[in-house]
Amino acid sequence: MSTVHTDSLNRLSIVSTLVDAAVAFLRGRTKSGLLLTGAAALSSKVPGLGTAVSLALRAVRRLR
């Protein structure tokens, strides 16, 4: 049962990263969009990578 829960969370993480990438593209942040898309693609191999990249991008934007 925990495997199903983990898979669901991983899929949710990938989808939320793709949504963040779409928003970045819509706002004209091409580099961020590409980085988030790549992180979402790699998230199937490295769970949580997309979420980590998304949080890091938000932190960098805050610090600017």
Side-chain angles (χ1 to χ4, degrees):
M1 184 161 161
S2 65
T3 304
V4 173
H5 184 65
T6 303
D7 289 342
S8 297
L9 287 177
N10 192 29
R11 285 187 190 134
L12 181 62
S13 173
I14 292 169
V15 169
S16 70
T17 304
L18 288 172
V19 169
D20 281 347
V23 170
F25 282 122
L26 288 174
R27 291 185 177 171
R29 298 178 179 146
T30 307
K31 290 179 185 177
S32 294
L34 290 172
L35 183 64
L36 287 164
T37 302
L42 290 174
S43 284
S44 62
K45 300 284 184 188
V46 184
L49 178 68
T51 304
V53 170
S54 180
L55 290 173
L57 282 173
R58 288 176 194 218
V60 167
R61 279 191 219 119
R62 284 254 185 205
L63 294 174
R64 283 187 180 178

